[in-house]
Amino acid sequence: MRARRAASPRIRVIVAERSAASPGWKRSPVSPSTISSGVPPVRVAIMGQGQILQQGKADALVSALGGRVWTTVVTRAEAAELRTRFPVLASRLKTGRIELRVLADDQPTGMTPATPTLEDVYFSTLLAHGMTAHLD
């Protein structure tokens, strides 16, 4: 398998697929569109600093985050305050406000449930291993 760089030179994502029609491993390139498209490959391994941080079937890794990913759209000031209270998986500008995706076991006040993605798995894995330098 060949590793592809993603997000930071220290972090790599390896994606491999195997099917009944093709018993050998097939390498798949990883790009931001692959990770966020919601169409995960069969198996993934997320590497950071030369070690495998997490691996498994993509759909199982995504399902494991079920009920723990929440979203909200807030002002910049509110976003800054929420960043101090919750691990932020993603943020993006949306009509002059900030859309946040956070990780929490219980539903935070004012947030709605979000459908987990492979991108959420990726960033939650990095956060769990203290690799937060390039997330924002």
Side-chain angles (χ1 to χ4, degrees), residues 9 42 54 58-60 67-69 75 77 86-87 90 105-106 111 124-125:
V42 176
Q54 185 167 15
D59 57 349
R68 297 183 56 221
V69 179
T75 65
F86 301 102
D105 291 331
D106 298 314
M111 294 193 190
S124 66
T125 300

Side-chain angles (χ1 to χ4, degrees), residues 32-101:
S33 61
T34 302
I35 291 173
S36 62
S37 69
V39 183
V42 176
R43 288 192 57 81
V44 297
I46 300 171
M47 293 185 69
Q49 299 176 340
Q51 297 183 14
I52 294 175
L53 304 176
Q54 185 167 15
Q55 62 182 328
K57 289 189 176 184
D59 57 349
L61 296 174
V62 170
S63 293
L65 287 181
R68 297 183 56 221
V69 179
W70 311 94
T71 188
T72 189
V73 179
V74 294
T75 65
R76 289 180 191 265
E78 291 168 323
E81 191 274 327
L82 288 171
R83 287 177 191 280
T84 66
R85 295 180 27 219
F86 301 102
V88 174
L89 300 176
S91 65
R92 69 181 179 129
L93 192 59
K94 186 173 186 177
T95 61
R97 294 169 59 96
I98 307 291
E99 179 180 18
L100 293 178
R101 290 176 71 87

